[in-house]
Amino acid sequence: AQSVAQPEDQVNVAEGNPLTVKCTYSVSGNPYLFWYVQYPNRGLQFLLKYITGDNLVKGSYGFEAEFNKSQTSFHLKKPSALVSDSALYFCAVRDTGGQNFVFGPGTRLSVLP
Amino acid sequence: GAVVSQHPSRVICKSGTSVKIECRSLDFQATTMFWYRQFPKKSLMLMATSNEGSKATYEQGVEKDKFLINHASLTLSTLTVTSAHPEDSSFYICSAREGANYEQYFGPGTRLTVT
């Protein structure tokens, strides 16, 4: 069965500092990995995905994530955080044979001015 | 990119009534649609998966007679919460996928409040 863990409920970072939001996954086959961001009372906005190819994936709003197969991780990163990055972030995985996504529990990011 | 809309964005209804939420894919054919429920400060819980023209497949613990899902066309799926109760109050999000595409596109969500 697929599963996704986001070990941190909350991440706080000062504006201008680098940020990392962690994600580890478990799938039976090759993973398709995704990051989404959710602002209050809004749906999910797509940030980036890893399907195949380069392990470092660049996405929207300056975010990037690195696929690490040996550690089964797909951590989200940004070199310089903005206050407007404060939101709820979800990691999701789908295996190649799967029908739907499995979402992690979410990590709330707070960027302090 | 692909756009999914939901209507209404917010709805308040009285206990015992039914409410319908629409999910539309605006610029692609959604062969598969998904309905999620999100509790406050929680992750998304998949309720059901529907393929166009077929009956929805419900996740364990989701009452199919209470949460009626219809996916009658390639651009529209509806979720009807029947005989709503306050505990049905939640944020409902739909998503859609075209064919075997590995991406899902999410709607903006519908906030349901049952009084």
Side-chain angles (χ1 to χ4, degrees):
Chain A
Q2 304 163 181
S3 67
V4 179
Q6 292 179 243
E8 300 155 317
D9 291 337
Q10 174 93 31
V11 170
N12 296 321
V13 64
E15 186 175 28
N17 282 3
L19 69 87
T20 299
V21 183
K22 296 180 180 178
C23 171
T24 58
Y25 66 89
S26 175
V27 297
S28 55
N30 292 321
Y32 296 151
L33 294 156
F34 303 80
W35 275 102
Y36 291 87
V37 60
Q38 185 181 34
Y39 294 95
N41 293 311
R42 299 291 181 93
L44 273 65
Q45 294 181 30
F46 170 79
L47 281 179
L48 51 79
K49 65 178 184 278
Y50 171 82
I51 304 300
T52 187
D54 288 342
N55 290 342
L56 183 63
V57 178
K58 294 187 182 297
S60 307
Y61 312 120
F63 284 93
E64 59 186 31
E66 186 165 12
F67 170 60
N68 187 317
K69 188 173 183 178
S70 63
Q71 297 185 3
T72 61
S73 68
F74 190 57
H75 301 331
L76 180 70
K77 299 183 178 184
K78 186 173 182 179
S80 178
L82 300 172
V83 172
S84 57
D85 293 329
S86 299
L88 189 56
Y89 289 80
F90 291 101
C91 181
V93 67
R94 177 190 170 196
D95 69 30
T96 51
Q99 169 81 302
N100 57 61
F101 284 19
V102 172
F103 284 89
T107 298
R108 185 163 302 280
L109 172 67
S110 292
V111 181
L112 309 173
Chain B
V3 178
V4 175
S5 69
Q6 277 183 247
H7 178 80
S9 57
R10 289 178 176 270
V11 57
I12 301 172
C13 69
K14 292 186 176 181
S15 186
T17 62
S18 296
V19 61
K20 180 185 287 187
I21 302 170
E22 292 186 350
C23 176
R24 294 182 184 272
S25 59
L26 299 185
D27 50 4
F28 67 101
Q29 293 185 328
T31 48
T32 306
M33 283 188 165
F34 307 87
W35 285 95
Y36 295 86
R37 182 173 178 177
Q38 186 179 29
F39 292 98
K41 300 183 180 181
K42 298 289 186 181
S43 188
L44 280 71
M45 181 192 78
L46 179 66
M47 298 174 67
T49 302
S50 70
N51 292 299
E52 185 264 338
S54 302
K55 288 184 177 180
T57 301
Y58 289 81
E59 295 299 300
Q60 192 173 8
V62 178
E63 298 176 61
K64 62 180 181 180
D65 293 331
K66 180 167 186 62
F67 298 100
L68 301 179
I69 292 171
N70 184 283
H71 189 173
S73 78
L74 285 170
T75 59
L76 174 64
S77 176
T78 59
L79 167 67
T80 301
V81 183
T82 62
S83 187
H85 288 96
E87 57 264 31
D88 298 325
S89 298
S90 195
F91 195 53
Y92 293 86
I93 301 175
C94 74
S95 72
R97 188 176 73 206
E98 181 176 25
N101 195 334
Y102 36 69
E103 281 203 51
Q104 285 186 25
Y105 304 100
F106 288 83
T110 297
R111 171 76 57 195
L112 170 63
T113 303
V114 184
T115 60

